[in-house]
């Protein structure tokens, strides 16, 4: 039986899809049979970040409607043969996702894969609700910024009361925070909340800290998830996060300001 | 940070402000979302009963559920009007 992991946040633009794509590649690289599903119906984007946008034939809603089989809709990743992508539909129909439909697809995927990552849309509407409803674990992506932290708390509240695990009285969804766009320099100056601040406010532990880095944009520009950029701090930070999600103990990296040389300190740069 | 930045006024510690504001709003919202659904109706009906005897303001009745360890306490407070 595979594990269902939702990547969610409430707020938009914090890095859910970037995180979903990187975690999916990371798990696949670690030998897990992995699938990543785009729940953002009407605003498909995971395919672009994964670099498979031109190979989408069938989508999530097609599978729900029975237009095709799950196998036909899954797009095999070119880099890892144990990684598949299920694209979101571009339909404008808000009712395209139904509980029975999503349940059927998720259950089938659970039997087929070790790990299924559900990339949630922003907000707390239908798509976001179904992305978290069947989850065993949650990675809540949060920026160290007031609106993102507040929205994360709302999402954590909804998960703990409205998920299938909550409704059926099972052990609750295991929750983790993933801090993105973290800037150790600004934390040191007192302009940005620290890892400990966010953990204290939300009462959930951080499983990874991704530094603010230009490589994240370059990665999405080229459709190669940033975790595959081995030179980038952000990529290595995702590798660490995957290891921690697999139960390994890894110290946090890239969370302290980089010490600058004398000239840099005196003359800027 | 360059040499000239040293003379600029340092910004206040805004991260601390953010954290303090969030701790308050998050605690408040968690309370609001975990409150039982019947509270508003209970409050309205209580107000009607009290008004049979005393003419109180709608804002004078406060109904709260508080958690103290495993126990839940229903707290009710009514402010009576001033006697003039």
């Amino acid at each position: 039986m595979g594990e269902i992991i939702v990547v969610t946040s409430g707020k938009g633009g914090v890095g859910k899809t970037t995180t979903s794509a990187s975690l999916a590649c990371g798990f696949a690289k670690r030998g897990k049979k992995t699938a990543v599903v785009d729940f953002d119906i009407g605003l498909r984007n995971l395919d672009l970040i994964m670099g498979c946008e031109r190979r989408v034939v069938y989508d999530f809603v097609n599978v729900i409607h029975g237009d095709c089989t799950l196998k036909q809709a899954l797009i095999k990743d070119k880099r890892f043969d144990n990684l598949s992508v299920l694209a979101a539909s571009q339909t404008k129909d808000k009712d395209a996702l139904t509980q029975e439909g999503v349940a059927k697809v998720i259950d089938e995927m659970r039997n087929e894969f070790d790990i299924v990552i559900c990339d949630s849309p922003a907000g707390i509407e239908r798509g976001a609700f179904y992305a978290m409803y069947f989850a065993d674990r949650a990675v809540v992506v949060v920026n160290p910024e007031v609106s993102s932290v507040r929205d994360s708390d709302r999402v954590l509240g909804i998960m703990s009361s409205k998920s299938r695990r909550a409704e059926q009285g099972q052990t609750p969804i295991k929750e983790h925070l993933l801090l993105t766009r973290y800037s150790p320099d600004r934390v040191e100056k007192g302009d940005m909340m620290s890892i400990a601040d966010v953990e204290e406010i939300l009462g959930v532990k951080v499983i990874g800290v991704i530094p603010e880095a230009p490589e994240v944009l370059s990665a999405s520009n080229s459709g190669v998830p940033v975790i595959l950029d081995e030179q980038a701090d952000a990529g290595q930070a995702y590798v660490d996060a995957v290891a921690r999600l697999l139960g390994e103990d890894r110290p946090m990296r890239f969370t302290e300001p980089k010490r600058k040389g004398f000239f840099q300190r005196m003359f800027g740069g | 940070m360059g040499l000239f930045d040293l003379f600029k006024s340092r910004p206040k510690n805004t991260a601390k402000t953010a954290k303090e504001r969030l701790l308050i709003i998050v605690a408040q919202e968690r309370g609001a979302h975990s409150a039982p659904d019947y509270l508003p109706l209970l409050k309205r009906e209580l107000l009607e009963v009290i008004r049979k005897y005393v003419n109180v303001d709608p804002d004078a009745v406060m109904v709260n559920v508080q958690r103290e360890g495993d126990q839940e306490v229903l707290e009710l407070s009514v402010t009576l009007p001033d006697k003039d």
Side-chain angles (χ1 to χ4, degrees):
Chain A
M1 281 291 267
E3 189 174 40
I4 313 289
I5 303 178
V6 60
V7 175
T8 184
S9 72
K11 189 177 182 295
V14 296
K16 284 180 295 296
T17 302
T18 299
T19 297
S20 298
S22 277
L23 294 184
C25 286
F27 283 123
K29 207 169 178 181
R30 295 291 305 264
K32 301 283 178 192
K33 197 175 177 201
T34 308
V36 57
V37 186
D38 191 348
F39 274 78
D40 203 345
I41 306 302
L43 295 169
R44 171 199 294 169
N45 271 321
L46 178 67
D47 55 337
L48 270 179
I49 305 299
M50 291 292 292
C52 63
E53 69 277 9
R54 295 181 57 179
R55 293 193 291 132
V56 179
V57 180
Y58 293 112
D59 60 52
F60 196 178
V61 172
N62 290 139
V63 184
I64 290 177
H65 288 168
D67 304 334
C68 64
T69 63
L70 174 63
K71 206 171 176 179
Q72 285 175 298
L74 288 171
I75 306 159
K76 281 245 179 220
D77 188 86
K78 294 266 193 205
R79 296 156 292 218
F80 303 99
D81 58 9
N82 56 343
L83 175 59
S84 302
V85 179
L86 183 56
S89 159
Q90 287 288 45
T91 177
K92 286 186 204 153
D93 177 14
K94 280 191 155 193
D95 302 325
L97 292 186
T98 59
Q99 182 149 334
E100 306 76 57
V102 177
K104 196 188 79 181
V105 177
I106 291 290
D107 286 340
E108 194 177 341
M109 294 184 93
R110 204 193 277 275
N111 289 327
E112 194 67 30
F113 295 93
D114 299 324
I115 291 175
V116 180
I117 294 177
C118 301
D119 180 24
S120 172
I124 47 176
E125 303 271 318
R126 192 178 281 244
F129 178 79
Y130 289 131
M132 69 85 188
Y133 185 74
F134 300 95
D136 304 306
R137 280 221 255 185
V139 172
V140 178
V141 183
V142 53
N143 289 170
E145 172 275 328
V146 286
S147 44
S148 174
V149 174
R150 182 199 210 168
D151 291 357
S152 298
D153 189 67
R154 285 284 282 133
V155 165
L156 286 164
I158 293 167
M159 280 195 298
S160 67
S161 60
K162 301 267 178 11
S163 65
R164 182 159 76 175
R165 282 178 167 270
E167 280 183 356
Q168 297 183 351
Q170 297 171 322
T171 49
I173 295 178
K174 201 167 174 198
E175 301 160 341
H176 310 281
L177 300 179
L178 188 105
L179 265 174
T180 54
R181 311 197 72 161
Y182 194 73
S183 170
D185 287 307
R186 302 187 69 186
V187 172
E188 190 179 62
K189 283 183 195 153
D191 299 339
M192 184 181 270
M193 284 181 283
S194 68
I195 304 168
D197 290 340
V198 178
E199 283 183 333
E200 185 188 335
I201 295 162
L202 295 175
V204 178
K205 284 282 172 199
V206 165
I207 194 121
V209 178
I210 314 302
E212 168 89 79
E215 294 89 349
V216 177
L217 181 59
S218 326
S220 64
N221 284 342
S222 43
V224 181
V226 70
I227 195 170
L228 301 177
D229 183 348
E230 285 165 9
Q231 307 301 315
D233 290 357
Q236 294 179 48
Y238 273 118
V239 171
D240 288 355
V242 167
R244 291 189 202 102
L245 283 165
L246 290 171
E248 292 168 27
D249 205 14
R250 296 229 178 157
M252 289 290 175
R253 293 192 281 170
F254 321 112
T255 54
E256 298 298 329
K258 286 190 176 150
R259 293 290 153 222
K260 289 178 177 174
F262 173 77
F263 280 101
Q264 269 186 313
R265 263 188 293 156
M266 288 318 274
F267 302 107
Chain B
M1 190 170 68
L3 187 59
F4 298 104
D5 294 340
L6 291 173
F7 302 109
K8 283 189 209 155
S9 67
R10 297 284 301 131
K12 292 198 193 78
N13 190 331
T14 54
K16 199 170 158 233
T17 313
K19 183 185 174 185
E20 284 161 3
R21 291 172 62 214
L22 279 167
L23 281 171
I24 294 167
I25 192 71
V26 160
Q28 204 181 338
E29 287 179 340
R30 276 183 199 166
H33 292 294
S34 63
D37 302 341
Y38 59 73
L39 275 194
L41 186 63
L42 175 70
K43 184 178 165 181
R44 206 158 52 236
E45 289 189 15
L46 278 170
L47 188 67
E48 280 167 25
V49 174
I50 294 166
R51 274 189 165 169
K52 282 186 190 169
Y53 304 93
V54 196
N55 191 18
V56 293
D57 213 54
D59 300 332
V61 180
M62 292 264 291
V63 184
N64 258 317
V65 177
Q66 289 201 327
R67 232 161 251 118
E68 288 170 12
D70 287 346
Q71 279 191 332
E72 279 189 321
V73 179
L74 180 70
E75 187 186 44
L76 172 69
S77 108
V78 184
T79 315
L80 295 177
D82 293 338
K83 282 181 196 158
D84 319 316

